[in-house]
Amino acid sequence: MKINQKYIADLLNISRVTVTKALQNHPDIALSTREKVKKVADELGYIPNIVGRSLSTKKTNTIGVIVPKINHSFFSTIIEELYSNAKKVGYNIILMVSFENEEAELDNVKSLLSMNVDGIIIDSVATSQKHKVHKLLNKHNKSFIYLDRKPVSLKNAIGVFFDDENLSYQLAKEIINKGFTKLMFISGNQEISISEQRLNGFNKAVKEAHISVPEEWCLVTKLDKTNAEKDFTTFLENYNNLPEVVICANDSIAIGVYNACEKFDLKIPDDIAVSGFGHVKISSLLNPPLTTVKLNLKKAAEKALENLLLLINNKPITENTLIEGKIIFRESTEKK
C-alpha cells in the first residue's frame, strides 16, 4: 500500500487538491478539514514526496547551506539560526561542509544543484581564486548569496557580511587609546574578504595614530589555531623585538597565539597582550579571558535567509548588507 495524498483523499472521500491544501495549511480549507487531514496523515505515517512536489511546483522548499566547518561555535551558531529561521517560513536546510577546501566547496555546490535546492547560502572557503563555484551557480541560474565572507576578487558578489573593516578599525583605535604603541596584526589569507577588511581596518587605525608597524609584525597565517600557533611560534623563534599587543583576525588565531606564548613562558597580557575577533564561546573561558569582537550572528542569519528568499522570488538584491558588532574588552589587553 502506497501512502500518498490520493490514498488519504480516497479514505476521507475528498479531492486530492483539498488534501494538498490542507497539508499546506491553506486558508481556503476549513480548519476542521485541515485538522482531519493532518490527523489521518500522521496516523498513516504520510511523508511528502519532495521530488514529486518539485516536478509540479518547480520548487523543493529546500535551501543549501555551505560552511567551512561545523566544529566551531561561530559556524554552529549561524547554522542553528538558519535552521530556525528557515523552518518558520516553510523551508528545510541541507547542510554541506567545505573544510576550507575549494574543490570540496565545488563538490558541495554540485551536490546541492543535483538536489534542485531553491537557493544556496555560502560562507566561502578561506582561499578562493578560481571562482568555479560562482561561475557554476550562474550557469545554472541558481539563486545564491554569500554570508560572512566571500572571495575578495568577486567585487560585485552580493551578500550579508559583518562590518569587518570598521569594527577592526575601532578595535585597534581603542587599543591604541589604552597606550599601546607597538602593535602586531595576524591575518588570514588576503584572498578572502574578512582577512582583507580586518587588515584594512587595522592599517587605517595605525596610520591615523602615526604608528609604524615593522614588516615582520604583519603576519599571515591560516584562520585556525593550529597553523596560527605554528606560525607565531616561528615568529617568536626568529625575532627578539616583540610587540606589546597582537591583534588577531579571528579568535582561532588568538587561541593559537595563546598556545605559542605558553611554550615560551610569555605571560598574557604582562609580556604580550592579545585580542581576537568573532567572540567564539571559548573566548571568555581562556586564561586570561580574551578581548574580542562580538558579532550579531542571529541578525546575519535572518538577513541572509531573507535576502536569499527575495532572490528565489525574482526580487533583485543590489547591495550588500553589513551587520554590526560590539567590542568586548577583557583581561587579555589590560595595559600594564
Side-chain angles (χ1 to χ4, degrees), residues 45-109:
Y46 167 75
I47 298 173
N49 185 334
I50 293 176
V51 174
R53 183 174 65 189
S54 69
L55 291 173
S56 60
T57 65
K58 308 300 181 185
K59 292 180 70 176
T60 60
N61 278 71
T62 57
I63 290 171
V65 173
I66 305 174
V67 295
K69 57 188 74 173
I70 52 176
N71 186 23
H72 190 292
S73 66
F74 179 91
F75 298 110
S76 62
T77 300
I78 284 181
I79 291 165
E80 286 189 8
E81 291 294 338
L82 288 171
Y83 266 99
S84 175
N85 286 289
K87 187 172 181 61
K88 291 175 186 175
V89 291
Y91 275 81
N92 290 310
I93 296 290
I94 298 176
L95 179 64
M96 297 280 172
V97 186
S98 66
F99 298 101
E100 298 283 17
N101 181 282
E102 285 186 70
E103 293 305 315
E105 185 180 74
L106 181 62
D107 287 340
N108 290 162
V109 169

Short mmCIF file of all heavy atoms in Angstrom, two decimals, residues 45-109:
data_model
loop_
_atom_site.label_atom_id
_atom_site.label_comp_id
_atom_site.label_asym_id
_atom_site.label_seq_id
_atom_site.Cartn_x
_atom_site.Cartn_y
_atom_site.Cartn_z
N GLY A 45 1.36 7.76 8.78
CA GLY A 45 2.80 7.93 8.60
C GLY A 45 3.14 8.53 7.25
O GLY A 45 4.19 8.24 6.67
N TYR A 46 2.24 9.38 6.74
CA TYR A 46 2.47 10.00 5.43
C TYR A 46 3.68 10.93 5.46
O TYR A 46 3.86 11.72 6.38
CB TYR A 46 1.22 10.79 5.02
CG TYR A 46 1.46 11.72 3.84
CD1 TYR A 46 1.56 11.22 2.55
CD2 TYR A 46 1.59 13.09 4.04
CE1 TYR A 46 1.80 12.06 1.47
CE2 TYR A 46 1.82 13.95 2.97
CZ TYR A 46 1.92 13.43 1.69
OH TYR A 46 2.16 14.27 0.63
N ILE A 47 4.52 10.83 4.42
CA ILE A 47 5.68 11.72 4.24
C ILE A 47 5.58 12.33 2.84
O ILE A 47 5.44 11.60 1.85
CB ILE A 47 7.00 10.94 4.37
CG1 ILE A 47 7.13 10.35 5.78
CG2 ILE A 47 8.19 11.86 4.07
CD1 ILE A 47 8.31 9.44 5.96
N PRO A 48 5.64 13.66 2.74
CA PRO A 48 5.53 14.31 1.42
C PRO A 48 6.64 13.86 0.48
O PRO A 48 7.78 13.65 0.90
CB PRO A 48 5.67 15.80 1.74
CG PRO A 48 5.36 15.92 3.19
CD PRO A 48 5.79 14.64 3.82
N ASN A 49 6.31 13.72 -0.78
CA ASN A 49 7.28 13.37 -1.81
C ASN A 49 7.86 14.66 -2.37
O ASN A 49 7.26 15.32 -3.21
CB ASN A 49 6.60 12.56 -2.92
CG ASN A 49 7.59 12.06 -3.96
OD1 ASN A 49 8.64 12.66 -4.17
ND2 ASN A 49 7.25 10.96 -4.62
N ILE A 50 9.05 15.04 -1.88
CA ILE A 50 9.65 16.31 -2.28
C ILE A 50 9.96 16.33 -3.78
O ILE A 50 9.77 17.33 -4.46
CB ILE A 50 10.93 16.58 -1.47
CG1 ILE A 50 10.58 16.82 -0.01
CG2 ILE A 50 11.69 17.78 -2.02
CD1 ILE A 50 11.77 17.00 0.90
N VAL A 51 10.42 15.19 -4.30
CA VAL A 51 10.74 15.13 -5.73
C VAL A 51 9.49 15.35 -6.56
O VAL A 51 9.46 16.12 -7.52
CB VAL A 51 11.40 13.78 -6.08
CG1 VAL A 51 11.60 13.67 -7.59
CG2 VAL A 51 12.74 13.64 -5.36
N GLY A 52 8.41 14.67 -6.15
CA GLY A 52 7.17 14.83 -6.89
C GLY A 52 6.63 16.24 -6.82
O GLY A 52 6.17 16.80 -7.81
N ARG A 53 6.73 16.84 -5.63
CA ARG A 53 6.26 18.21 -5.48
C ARG A 53 7.08 19.17 -6.32
O ARG A 53 6.55 20.10 -6.91
CB ARG A 53 6.34 18.61 -3.99
CG ARG A 53 5.79 20.00 -3.72
CD ARG A 53 5.74 20.29 -2.23
NE ARG A 53 7.07 20.33 -1.66
CZ ARG A 53 7.31 20.39 -0.36
NH1 ARG A 53 6.32 20.38 0.51
NH2 ARG A 53 8.56 20.43 0.09
N SER A 54 8.40 18.94 -6.38
CA SER A 54 9.24 19.84 -7.15
C SER A 54 8.96 19.77 -8.64
O SER A 54 9.11 20.76 -9.36
CB SER A 54 10.72 19.52 -6.90
OG SER A 54 11.07 18.27 -7.46
N LEU A 55 8.52 18.61 -9.11
CA LEU A 55 8.19 18.47 -10.52
C LEU A 55 6.96 19.29 -10.88
O LEU A 55 6.86 19.84 -11.98
CB LEU A 55 7.94 16.99 -10.86
CG LEU A 55 9.17 16.08 -10.82
CD1 LEU A 55 8.76 14.63 -11.01
CD2 LEU A 55 10.18 16.50 -11.89
N SER A 56 6.02 19.40 -9.93
CA SER A 56 4.80 20.14 -10.23
C SER A 56 4.91 21.63 -9.92
O SER A 56 4.35 22.46 -10.63
CB SER A 56 3.63 19.55 -9.45
OG SER A 56 3.88 19.62 -8.05
N THR A 57 5.67 21.96 -8.86
CA THR A 57 5.76 23.37 -8.46
C THR A 57 7.05 24.03 -8.89
O THR A 57 7.19 25.25 -8.79
CB THR A 57 5.67 23.49 -6.92
OG1 THR A 57 6.82 22.85 -6.34
CG2 THR A 57 4.40 22.85 -6.39
N LYS A 58 8.01 23.23 -9.35
CA LYS A 58 9.35 23.73 -9.70
C LYS A 58 10.13 24.20 -8.48
O LYS A 58 11.15 24.85 -8.61
CB LYS A 58 9.29 24.86 -10.75
CG LYS A 58 8.48 24.53 -12.00
CD LYS A 58 9.03 23.34 -12.74
CE LYS A 58 8.23 23.05 -14.00
NZ LYS A 58 8.68 21.82 -14.67
N LYS A 59 9.63 23.89 -7.29
CA LYS A 59 10.32 24.27 -6.05
C LYS A 59 10.39 23.07 -5.12
O LYS A 59 9.50 22.21 -5.12
CB LYS A 59 9.58 25.42 -5.36
CG LYS A 59 9.64 26.75 -6.11
CD LYS A 59 8.91 27.84 -5.37
CE LYS A 59 9.62 28.24 -4.11
NZ LYS A 59 8.97 29.35 -3.41
N THR A 60 11.45 23.03 -4.33
CA THR A 60 11.61 21.94 -3.35
C THR A 60 11.47 22.42 -1.92
O THR A 60 11.45 21.62 -0.99
CB THR A 60 13.00 21.29 -3.50
OG1 THR A 60 14.00 22.30 -3.27
CG2 THR A 60 13.18 20.68 -4.89
N ASN A 61 11.39 23.74 -1.75
CA ASN A 61 11.36 24.33 -0.41
C ASN A 61 12.56 23.88 0.43
O ASN A 61 12.46 23.65 1.63
CB ASN A 61 10.06 24.02 0.32
CG ASN A 61 8.95 24.96 -0.11
OD1 ASN A 61 8.45 24.86 -1.24
ND2 ASN A 61 8.57 25.88 0.77
N THR A 62 13.69 23.75 -0.25
CA THR A 62 14.95 23.43 0.43
C THR A 62 15.98 24.49 0.08
O THR A 62 15.99 25.03 -1.04
CB THR A 62 15.48 22.05 0.03
OG1 THR A 62 15.65 22.00 -1.40
CG2 THR A 62 14.54 20.94 0.47
N ILE A 63 16.86 24.76 1.03
CA ILE A 63 17.95 25.71 0.83
C ILE A 63 19.26 25.03 1.22
O ILE A 63 19.35 24.41 2.29
CB ILE A 63 17.74 26.97 1.70
CG1 ILE A 63 16.58 27.80 1.14
CG2 ILE A 63 19.01 27.82 1.77
CD1 ILE A 63 16.17 28.95 2.04
N GLY A 64 20.23 25.13 0.36
CA GLY A 64 21.55 24.59 0.67
C GLY A 64 22.37 25.60 1.45
O GLY A 64 22.32 26.80 1.16
N VAL A 65 23.10 25.12 2.43
CA VAL A 65 24.00 25.97 3.21
C VAL A 65 25.38 25.32 3.21
O VAL A 65 25.51 24.15 3.56
CB VAL A 65 23.50 26.15 4.67
CG1 VAL A 65 24.54 26.90 5.50
CG2 VAL A 65 22.17 26.90 4.69
N ILE A 66 26.40 26.09 2.82
CA ILE A 66 27.77 25.58 2.79
C ILE A 66 28.60 26.39 3.77
O ILE A 66 28.69 27.62 3.65
CB ILE A 66 28.39 25.67 1.39
CG1 ILE A 66 27.51 24.95 0.36
CG2 ILE A 66 29.79 25.07 1.38
CD1 ILE A 66 27.97 25.11 -1.08
N VAL A 67 29.21 25.72 4.73
CA VAL A 67 30.08 26.39 5.70
C VAL A 67 31.46 25.74 5.68
O VAL A 67 31.60 24.57 5.29
CB VAL A 67 29.49 26.34 7.12
CG1 VAL A 67 28.20 27.14 7.21
CG2 VAL A 67 29.27 24.90 7.57
N PRO A 68 32.50 26.47 6.13
CA PRO A 68 33.85 25.90 6.11
C PRO A 68 34.07 24.80 7.12
O PRO A 68 34.88 23.91 6.93
CB PRO A 68 34.75 27.10 6.43
CG PRO A 68 33.91 28.30 6.19
CD PRO A 68 32.52 27.89 6.49
N LYS A 69 33.35 24.87 8.25
CA LYS A 69 33.49 23.86 9.31
C LYS A 69 32.26 23.94 10.22
O LYS A 69 31.54 24.94 10.20
CB LYS A 69 34.77 24.06 10.11
CG LYS A 69 34.90 25.42 10.75
CD LYS A 69 36.28 25.63 11.38
CE LYS A 69 37.35 25.85 10.34
NZ LYS A 69 38.66 26.22 10.90
N ILE A 70 32.04 22.87 11.00
CA ILE A 70 30.90 22.89 11.92
C ILE A 70 31.35 22.73 13.37
O ILE A 70 30.62 23.09 14.29
CB ILE A 70 29.86 21.80 11.58
CG1 ILE A 70 30.50 20.42 11.45
CG2 ILE A 70 29.13 22.15 10.31
CD1 ILE A 70 29.52 19.31 11.21
N ASN A 71 32.57 22.22 13.59
CA ASN A 71 33.08 22.06 14.95
C ASN A 71 33.70 23.37 15.43
O ASN A 71 34.87 23.46 15.76
CB ASN A 71 34.12 20.93 15.00
CG ASN A 71 34.57 20.62 16.42
OD1 ASN A 71 33.84 20.91 17.37
ND2 ASN A 71 35.74 20.05 16.56
N HIS A 72 32.86 24.41 15.44
CA HIS A 72 33.31 25.77 15.72
C HIS A 72 32.07 26.56 16.12
O HIS A 72 31.09 26.59 15.37
CB HIS A 72 33.95 26.35 14.46
CG HIS A 72 34.67 27.64 14.66
ND1 HIS A 72 34.01 28.81 14.96
CD2 HIS A 72 35.99 27.95 14.58
CE1 HIS A 72 34.90 29.79 15.05
NE2 HIS A 72 36.10 29.29 14.83
N SER A 73 32.10 27.20 17.27
CA SER A 73 30.87 27.82 17.79
C SER A 73 30.34 28.93 16.89
O SER A 73 29.13 29.16 16.83
CB SER A 73 31.12 28.37 19.20
OG SER A 73 32.05 29.44 19.20
N PHE A 74 31.23 29.62 16.17
CA PHE A 74 30.80 30.68 15.26
C PHE A 74 29.89 30.10 14.18
O PHE A 74 28.77 30.56 13.96
CB PHE A 74 32.02 31.35 14.63
CG PHE A 74 31.70 32.46 13.65
CD1 PHE A 74 31.61 33.77 14.08
CD2 PHE A 74 31.49 32.18 12.31
CE1 PHE A 74 31.32 34.79 13.19
CE2 PHE A 74 31.21 33.19 11.41
CZ PHE A 74 31.12 34.50 11.85
N PHE A 75 30.37 29.06 13.51
CA PHE A 75 29.60 28.48 12.40
C PHE A 75 28.40 27.67 12.90
O PHE A 75 27.34 27.70 12.28
CB PHE A 75 30.52 27.62 11.52
CG PHE A 75 31.63 28.39 10.89
CD1 PHE A 75 32.94 28.19 11.29
CD2 PHE A 75 31.38 29.33 9.90
CE1 PHE A 75 33.98 28.92 10.72
CE2 PHE A 75 32.40 30.06 9.33
CZ PHE A 75 33.71 29.86 9.74
N SER A 76 28.57 26.97 14.00
CA SER A 76 27.44 26.18 14.51
C SER A 76 26.28 27.08 14.93
O SER A 76 25.11 26.74 14.75
CB SER A 76 27.88 25.29 15.68
OG SER A 76 28.34 26.06 16.77
N THR A 77 26.61 28.27 15.46
CA THR A 77 25.55 29.22 15.83
C THR A 77 24.82 29.72 14.60
O THR A 77 23.58 29.80 14.58
CB THR A 77 26.14 30.41 16.61
OG1 THR A 77 26.77 29.92 17.80
CG2 THR A 77 25.06 31.41 16.99
N ILE A 78 25.56 30.06 13.56
CA ILE A 78 24.94 30.52 12.31
C ILE A 78 24.05 29.43 11.73
O ILE A 78 22.93 29.69 11.28
CB ILE A 78 26.02 30.94 11.30
CG1 ILE A 78 26.59 32.31 11.68
CG2 ILE A 78 25.47 30.99 9.88
CD1 ILE A 78 27.65 32.84 10.75
N ILE A 79 24.54 28.19 11.76
CA ILE A 79 23.77 27.07 11.21
C ILE A 79 22.45 26.91 11.97
O ILE A 79 21.37 26.77 11.37
CB ILE A 79 24.58 25.76 11.28
CG1 ILE A 79 25.76 25.82 10.31
CG2 ILE A 79 23.70 24.55 10.97
CD1 ILE A 79 26.82 24.76 10.57
N GLU A 80 22.51 26.95 13.29
CA GLU A 80 21.29 26.81 14.10
C GLU A 80 20.30 27.93 13.81
O GLU A 80 19.09 27.69 13.72
CB GLU A 80 21.65 26.79 15.59
CG GLU A 80 22.28 25.49 16.05
CD GLU A 80 22.42 25.41 17.56
OE1 GLU A 80 21.88 26.29 18.25
OE2 GLU A 80 23.04 24.45 18.04
N GLU A 81 20.81 29.15 13.68
CA GLU A 81 19.93 30.29 13.38
C GLU A 81 19.29 30.13 12.01
O GLU A 81 18.10 30.44 11.83
CB GLU A 81 20.72 31.60 13.45
CG GLU A 81 21.17 31.99 14.85
CD GLU A 81 20.02 32.32 15.78
OE1 GLU A 81 18.92 32.65 15.29
OE2 GLU A 81 20.21 32.24 17.01
N LEU A 82 20.04 29.66 11.04
CA LEU A 82 19.48 29.44 9.70
C LEU A 82 18.41 28.37 9.72
O LEU A 82 17.35 28.53 9.10
CB LEU A 82 20.59 29.07 8.70
CG LEU A 82 21.54 30.20 8.30
CD1 LEU A 82 22.72 29.65 7.49
CD2 LEU A 82 20.81 31.26 7.48
N TYR A 83 18.67 27.27 10.42
CA TYR A 83 17.66 26.21 10.55
C TYR A 83 16.38 26.76 11.16
O TYR A 83 15.28 26.51 10.66
CB TYR A 83 18.20 25.07 11.43
CG TYR A 83 18.86 23.94 10.68
CD1 TYR A 83 20.23 23.86 10.57
CD2 TYR A 83 18.10 22.94 10.08
CE1 TYR A 83 20.85 22.82 9.89
CE2 TYR A 83 18.70 21.90 9.40
CZ TYR A 83 20.07 21.84 9.31
OH TYR A 83 20.66 20.81 8.62
N SER A 84 16.53 27.50 12.26
CA SER A 84 15.38 28.02 12.98
C SER A 84 14.55 28.96 12.11
O SER A 84 13.32 28.86 12.04
CB SER A 84 15.85 28.75 14.24
OG SER A 84 14.77 29.37 14.90
N ASN A 85 15.21 29.88 11.42
CA ASN A 85 14.51 30.85 10.59
C ASN A 85 13.90 30.23 9.34
O ASN A 85 12.82 30.62 8.90
CB ASN A 85 15.45 31.99 10.21
CG ASN A 85 15.72 32.93 11.37
OD1 ASN A 85 14.86 33.68 11.80
ND2 ASN A 85 16.92 32.87 11.91
N ALA A 86 14.59 29.24 8.77
CA ALA A 86 14.06 28.57 7.59
C ALA A 86 12.78 27.81 7.91
O ALA A 86 11.82 27.83 7.14
CB ALA A 86 15.11 27.62 7.01
N LYS A 87 12.77 27.16 9.06
CA LYS A 87 11.59 26.40 9.46
C LYS A 87 10.36 27.29 9.59
O LYS A 87 9.24 26.90 9.24
CB LYS A 87 11.87 25.68 10.78
CG LYS A 87 10.78 24.72 11.21
CD LYS A 87 11.20 23.91 12.42
CE LYS A 87 10.11 22.93 12.84
NZ LYS A 87 9.78 21.94 11.80
N LYS A 88 10.57 28.52 10.08
CA LYS A 88 9.46 29.45 10.27
C LYS A 88 8.77 29.80 8.95
O LYS A 88 7.58 30.14 8.94
CB LYS A 88 9.96 30.74 10.93
CG LYS A 88 10.41 30.56 12.37
CD LYS A 88 11.00 31.87 12.91
CE LYS A 88 11.58 31.68 14.30
NZ LYS A 88 12.27 32.90 14.77
N VAL A 89 9.52 29.76 7.85
CA VAL A 89 8.94 30.13 6.55
C VAL A 89 8.74 28.92 5.64
O VAL A 89 8.58 29.06 4.43
CB VAL A 89 9.82 31.20 5.85
CG1 VAL A 89 9.74 32.51 6.60
CG2 VAL A 89 11.26 30.75 5.71
N GLY A 90 8.77 27.72 6.25
CA GLY A 90 8.42 26.52 5.49
C GLY A 90 9.54 25.94 4.64
O GLY A 90 9.29 25.20 3.68
N TYR A 91 10.79 26.26 4.98
CA TYR A 91 11.93 25.73 4.22
C TYR A 91 12.74 24.77 5.08
O TYR A 91 12.80 24.90 6.31
CB TYR A 91 12.84 26.87 3.74
CG TYR A 91 12.39 27.49 2.44
CD1 TYR A 91 11.39 28.44 2.42
CD2 TYR A 91 12.98 27.12 1.24
CE1 TYR A 91 10.96 29.02 1.23
CE2 TYR A 91 12.57 27.69 0.03
CZ TYR A 91 11.57 28.64 0.04
OH TYR A 91 11.16 29.20 -1.15
N ASN A 92 13.38 23.82 4.42
CA ASN A 92 14.32 22.92 5.08
C ASN A 92 15.74 23.26 4.63
O ASN A 92 15.95 23.70 3.50
CB ASN A 92 14.02 21.46 4.72
CG ASN A 92 12.73 20.98 5.36
OD1 ASN A 92 12.52 21.15 6.56
ND2 ASN A 92 11.84 20.40 4.56
N ILE A 93 16.69 23.03 5.52
CA ILE A 93 18.10 23.30 5.23
C ILE A 93 18.82 21.99 4.91
O ILE A 93 18.65 21.00 5.60
CB ILE A 93 18.79 23.96 6.44
CG1 ILE A 93 18.19 25.34 6.73
CG2 ILE A 93 20.30 24.05 6.23
CD1 ILE A 93 18.50 26.40 5.71
N ILE A 94 19.61 22.02 3.84
CA ILE A 94 20.52 20.91 3.54
C ILE A 94 21.93 21.45 3.76
O ILE A 94 22.37 22.36 3.07
CB ILE A 94 20.34 20.40 2.10
CG1 ILE A 94 18.93 19.86 1.90
CG2 ILE A 94 21.38 19.32 1.79
CD1 ILE A 94 18.62 19.42 0.49
N LEU A 95 22.63 20.88 4.73
CA LEU A 95 23.93 21.41 5.15
C LEU A 95 25.08 20.68 4.47
O LEU A 95 25.10 19.46 4.38
CB LEU A 95 24.07 21.28 6.67
CG LEU A 95 25.38 21.75 7.29
CD1 LEU A 95 25.56 23.26 7.09
CD2 LEU A 95 25.43 21.40 8.77
N MET A 96 26.05 21.46 4.00
CA MET A 96 27.28 20.93 3.41
C MET A 96 28.48 21.60 4.10
O MET A 96 28.39 22.75 4.53
CB MET A 96 27.34 21.22 1.91
CG MET A 96 26.25 20.55 1.10
SD MET A 96 26.66 18.82 0.79
CE MET A 96 25.13 18.24 0.04
N VAL A 97 29.60 20.89 4.18
CA VAL A 97 30.81 21.42 4.82
C VAL A 97 31.97 21.35 3.84
O VAL A 97 32.24 20.29 3.25
CB VAL A 97 31.15 20.64 6.10
CG1 VAL A 97 32.32 21.29 6.82
CG2 VAL A 97 29.94 20.56 7.02
N SER A 98 32.66 22.47 3.65
CA SER A 98 33.76 22.54 2.68
C SER A 98 35.12 22.22 3.29
O SER A 98 36.07 21.95 2.55
CB SER A 98 33.82 23.93 2.05
OG SER A 98 34.18 24.90 3.02
N PHE A 99 35.25 22.30 4.61
CA PHE A 99 36.52 22.09 5.30
C PHE A 99 37.62 22.99 4.73
O PHE A 99 38.77 22.59 4.61
CB PHE A 99 36.94 20.62 5.24
CG PHE A 99 35.97 19.69 5.93
CD1 PHE A 99 35.06 18.95 5.18
CD2 PHE A 99 35.93 19.60 7.32
CE1 PHE A 99 34.15 18.11 5.81
CE2 PHE A 99 35.02 18.77 7.94
CZ PHE A 99 34.12 18.01 7.20
N GLU A 100 37.25 24.23 4.39
CA GLU A 100 38.18 25.24 3.87
C GLU A 100 38.90 24.77 2.60
O GLU A 100 40.04 25.16 2.35
CB GLU A 100 39.21 25.64 4.94
CG GLU A 100 38.64 26.27 6.18
CD GLU A 100 38.23 27.73 6.01
OE1 GLU A 100 38.08 28.17 4.86
OE2 GLU A 100 38.04 28.41 7.03
N ASN A 101 38.23 23.95 1.81
CA ASN A 101 38.84 23.41 0.60
C ASN A 101 38.00 23.79 -0.62
O ASN A 101 36.80 23.51 -0.65
CB ASN A 101 38.95 21.88 0.72
CG ASN A 101 39.58 21.24 -0.50
OD1 ASN A 101 38.94 21.08 -1.52
ND2 ASN A 101 40.85 20.88 -0.36
N GLU A 102 38.63 24.41 -1.61
CA GLU A 102 37.89 24.91 -2.78
C GLU A 102 37.21 23.81 -3.57
O GLU A 102 36.07 23.96 -4.01
CB GLU A 102 38.84 25.68 -3.69
CG GLU A 102 39.22 27.05 -3.18
CD GLU A 102 40.05 27.82 -4.19
OE1 GLU A 102 39.48 28.22 -5.23
OE2 GLU A 102 41.23 28.02 -3.93
N GLU A 103 37.92 22.71 -3.77
CA GLU A 103 37.34 21.62 -4.55
C GLU A 103 36.19 20.96 -3.81
O GLU A 103 35.18 20.57 -4.41
CB GLU A 103 38.42 20.58 -4.91
CG GLU A 103 39.48 21.09 -5.87
CD GLU A 103 38.87 21.66 -7.15
OE1 GLU A 103 37.97 21.02 -7.73
OE2 GLU A 103 39.31 22.74 -7.59
N ALA A 104 36.32 20.87 -2.48
CA ALA A 104 35.22 20.32 -1.68
C ALA A 104 34.01 21.25 -1.75
O ALA A 104 32.86 20.79 -1.84
CB ALA A 104 35.66 20.14 -0.22
N GLU A 105 34.26 22.55 -1.72
CA GLU A 105 33.17 23.51 -1.84
C GLU A 105 32.46 23.37 -3.18
O GLU A 105 31.22 23.42 -3.27
CB GLU A 105 33.71 24.93 -1.68
CG GLU A 105 32.63 26.01 -1.67
CD GLU A 105 33.22 27.40 -1.50
OE1 GLU A 105 33.81 27.91 -2.46
OE2 GLU A 105 33.08 27.97 -0.40
N LEU A 106 33.24 23.16 -4.24
CA LEU A 106 32.66 22.97 -5.57
C LEU A 106 31.82 21.69 -5.61
O LEU A 106 30.71 21.68 -6.17
CB LEU A 106 33.77 22.91 -6.62
CG LEU A 106 33.32 22.74 -8.08
CD1 LEU A 106 32.46 23.91 -8.53
CD2 LEU A 106 34.53 22.59 -9.00
N ASP A 107 32.32 20.63 -4.99
CA ASP A 107 31.55 19.37 -4.92
C ASP A 107 30.26 19.57 -4.13
O ASP A 107 29.21 19.01 -4.47
CB ASP A 107 32.39 18.26 -4.28
CG ASP A 107 33.49 17.75 -5.20
OD1 ASP A 107 33.38 17.96 -6.43
OD2 ASP A 107 34.45 17.16 -4.69
N ASN A 108 30.33 20.37 -3.07
CA ASN A 108 29.14 20.70 -2.28
C ASN A 108 28.07 21.34 -3.16
O ASN A 108 26.89 20.97 -3.11
CB ASN A 108 29.47 21.66 -1.15
CG ASN A 108 30.31 21.07 -0.04
OD1 ASN A 108 30.92 21.81 0.74
ND2 ASN A 108 30.39 19.76 0.04
N VAL A 109 28.50 22.30 -3.97
CA VAL A 109 27.57 23.01 -4.85
C VAL A 109 26.97 22.05 -5.87
O VAL A 109 25.75 22.09 -6.13
CB VAL A 109 28.27 24.19 -5.54
CG1 VAL A 109 27.40 24.76 -6.66
CG2 VAL A 109 28.58 25.28 -4.54
#
